[in-house]
Amino acid sequence: EAGVTQSPTHLIKTRGQQATLRCSPISGHTSVYWYQQALGLGLQFLLWYDEGEERNRGNFPPRFSGRQFPNYSSELNVNALELEDSALYLCASSLAPPGGGLFFGEGSRLTVL
Amino acid sequence: GQQVMQIPQYQHVQEGEDFTTYCNSSTTLSNIQWYKQRPGGHPVFLIQLVKSGEVKKQKRLTFQFGEAKKNSSLHITATQTTDVGTYFCAGPAAGNKLTFGGGTRVLVKP
């Protein structure tokens, strides 16, 4: 069974541009989570989607947004990129939030120059 | 808001020795989860503890949930080079937001 898949693996953008990251959850999982992990640091909660709805968001500015599609895949959009947005963006899925553990993808490494 | 703290931030261990890493929450948790992230990798779910005082073992790893459900520990015996990585604990906050601790980065000296 395929795990959580994320694309692209790496993305390089310049300040002010927009980035779109994509995530496909494990088959049967309806919840998708997005986390930001700056280099060498912990995981900061960004967004949680379940059944196509945004259920919760972390302490990030509105330029971080996303959506979940009817097939439960998700995308994360970051507008007006800033240098400090450079990080590993991790997507995770679960059967039922949040118990039972999150299953993470390999992540998308975003570099903002 | 809820805070989850882990100590130590770094753990240098001689191969074969034991060590413990600790996780403390500012609020009572319904459950605590542990993850391991290898260098260059992504977090991998290890275990979930739900009951007060619960202890679970996975080979050389022993996980414990505190009686007050506000703290947890991970004890690794006979550390091996395969144990290298960062160990995160995580607990659900209001709105089902899973909050991660800062992690304990484990370095093993052969």
Side-chain angles (χ1 to χ4, degrees):
Chain A
E1 181 181 304
V4 176
T5 57
Q6 291 187 243
S7 64
T9 306
H10 294 87
L11 188 61
I12 299 175
K13 294 285 187 177
T14 57
R15 285 178 59 189
Q17 286 188 313
Q18 185 231 13
T20 298
L21 309 176
R22 297 179 177 82
C23 172
S24 292
I26 292 172
S27 177
H29 286 190
T30 61
S31 277
V32 170
Y33 300 78
W34 288 94
Y35 283 84
Q36 182 197 63
Q37 186 175 35
L39 190 62
L41 298 180
L43 286 79
Q44 301 300 316
F45 172 76
L46 268 166
L47 290 159
W48 166 37
Y49 292 96
D50 184 56
E51 296 286 358
E53 300 284 332
E54 182 181 301
R55 302 296 184 181
N56 203 347
R57 66 178 291 129
N59 296 324
F60 282 84
R63 57 191 186 82
F64 286 83
S65 65
R67 54 180 171 166
Q68 186 178 34
F69 299 98
N71 66 355
Y72 303 115
S73 66
S74 175
E75 68 178 29
L76 173 69
N77 295 292
V78 188
N79 293 318
L81 285 166
E82 300 179 0
L83 296 178
E84 53 264 35
D85 296 333
S86 295
L88 180 67
Y89 289 84
L90 291 160
C91 171
S93 72
S94 73
L95 271 173
L102 299 184
F103 295 86
F104 285 86
E106 301 277 349
S108 292
R109 172 75 61 187
L110 172 63
T111 302
V112 183
L113 303 175
Chain B
Q2 179 201 49
Q3 290 186 330
V4 178
M5 294 149 287
Q6 287 185 251
I7 53 171
Q9 188 176 357
Y10 294 92
Q11 181 79 55
H12 292 82
V13 191
Q14 191 74 42
E15 190 173 12
E17 290 185 342
D18 303 351
F19 76 91
T20 303
T21 178
Y22 300 90
C23 173
N24 295 288
S25 170
S26 58
T27 59
T28 301
L29 300 170
S30 59
N31 69 78
I32 189 84
Q33 301 174 21
W34 285 89
Y35 295 77
K36 177 183 178 182
Q37 185 174 24
R38 294 182 184 275
H42 59 280
V44 174
F45 174 70
L46 294 177
I47 206 162
Q48 175 177 284
L49 305 172
V50 179
K51 299 176 183 177
S52 170
E54 187 171 13
V55 178
K56 286 188 176 180
K57 291 188 176 184
Q58 286 182 351
K59 297 182 180 179
R60 296 177 294 102
L61 277 61
T62 301
F63 303 85
Q64 185 168 9
F65 202 5
E67 294 291 339
K69 301 183 77 173
K70 293 183 69 174
N71 57 73
S72 181
S73 64
L74 161 59
H75 181 77
I76 299 182
T77 58
T79 305
Q80 300 176 358
T81 55
T82 53
D83 296 323
V84 165
T86 302
Y87 293 82
F88 293 98
C89 64
N96 285 328
K97 180 177 74 173
L98 193 63
T99 301
F100 282 75
T104 293
R105 186 171 177 183
V106 176
L107 304 166
V108 179
K109 294 177 283 187

